[in-house]
Amino acid sequence: MPLNSPRNQVIALAGLTQAIHQVKRIATTGMAEQTPLETSIASILKIDAENVEDIYGGLSGISSGLNQLQRQLTGAEPPDSDQGRYAATLIFLEKQLSNNTPMLSEIRTGIELAQTQADELGVTHARVLTDLGDLYHNTVSTLKPRIMVNGEQNHLANIENIHKIRSLLLAGIRSALLWRQCGGRRWKFLLCRGKIQNEVGVLLNELREKQ
């Protein structure tokens, strides 16, 4: 399958949706869902992959993102202005980042170091999340506009939550990059919502058939 395809675009979009949904959960409840968190963090570390699905460990890795995306597209739940803002800003920041060769190089080096830590300690070990969080803070966070995460102050002030949120935002950047590489464009999301919704349904049906 060619990289530029509606299927791959939706997979990347689900990866982005999943990452920012976990950001919102941590900011408002102090808790992330373990499997979606692991998938999002692992996607940062998967620099080289055979295909788009492999970046997320298969479709099952983004089942949460696909379901969340479907609920948003069908209106099954009210629009979330925070998550919409996070997604739009990450897509905008990724476009800036794509033209910043020194920063891209710095991020790649940081990810390679985090890969070594993850191999030894595990993908969501505190050391890995700290390194990835610091990497986001020292690179993407210096671009404008900065993402201001809304939530409960006691959760946002927790240092472990800070590292998780920053790591998830970096995962969101990874998915935004992948979405663009697969042919995703903002106008497509605005004008082709029906096609995106249909593709989400196809992928969710595939997941159900495998269960």
Side-chain angles (χ1 to χ4, degrees):
M1 177 182 294
L3 184 63
N4 188 335
S5 70
R7 179 187 179 89
N8 285 341
Q9 290 168 25
V10 168
I11 290 172
L13 200 56
L16 173 59
T17 301
Q18 184 162 294
I20 61 177
H21 182 57
Q22 293 308 308
V23 168
K24 181 66 179 285
R25 278 184 59 90
I26 294 170
T28 56
T29 71
M31 300 289 291
E33 296 171 286
Q34 188 61 26
T35 299
L37 174 65
E38 288 180 358
T39 298
S40 292
I41 301 306
S43 73
I44 304 171
L45 306 176
K46 204 73 175 280
I47 296 176
D48 300 310
E50 294 183 4
N51 52 59
V52 173
E53 289 181 34
D54 187 46
I55 291 171
Y56 302 103
L59 288 181
S60 60
I62 52 167
S63 60
S64 174
L66 286 169
N67 279 295
Q68 181 71 13
L69 191 55
Q70 184 184 57
R71 289 192 292 270
Q72 291 176 1
L73 291 170
T74 60
E77 62 180 39
D80 189 309
S81 59
D82 283 337
Q83 291 189 64
R85 176 170 57 83
Y86 301 156
T89 306
L90 285 172
I91 289 171
F92 180 79
L93 290 173
E94 186 281 322
K95 191 172 182 179
Q96 286 190 60
L97 181 61
S98 67
N99 296 317
N100 192 328
T101 302
M103 186 174 289
L104 284 171
S105 179
E106 182 179 351
I107 290 173
R108 186 180 182 94
T109 299
I111 289 173
E112 288 172 348
L113 291 173
Q115 279 179 319
T116 302
Q117 293 275 17
D119 288 342
E120 297 176 0
L121 304 171
V123 171
T124 57
H125 189 277
R127 181 71 259 165
V128 176
L129 293 173
T130 298
D131 288 349
L132 290 174
D134 287 345
L135 181 61
Y136 174 87
H137 181 66
N138 294 329
T139 56
V140 180
S141 185
T142 65
L143 301 175
K144 303 297 182 184
R146 292 186 64 179
I147 293 181
M148 304 301 293
V149 176
N150 293 328
E152 298 295 329
Q153 189 55 39
N154 58 318
H155 300 318
L156 293 173
N158 181 287
I159 190 62
E160 291 183 3
N161 289 341
I162 291 172
H163 293 319
K164 286 179 182 177
I165 286 172
R166 288 174 176 170
S167 297
L168 285 164
L169 291 174
L170 188 60
I173 287 285
R174 170 69 165 118
S175 289
L177 167 63
L178 186 61
W179 183 65
R180 181 173 57 81
Q181 290 175 329
C182 293
R185 299 293 183 270
R186 181 175 173 82
W187 67 264
K188 286 188 177 182
F189 186 74
L190 295 173
L191 300 179
C192 305
R193 288 174 65 92
K195 291 182 179 180
I196 294 173
Q197 185 177 329
N198 288 340
E199 191 63 44
V200 170
V202 169
L203 294 174
L204 285 173
N205 284 334
E206 282 187 31
L207 277 173
R208 295 187 190 102
E209 290 172 359
K210 292 178 181 178
Q211 292 176 350

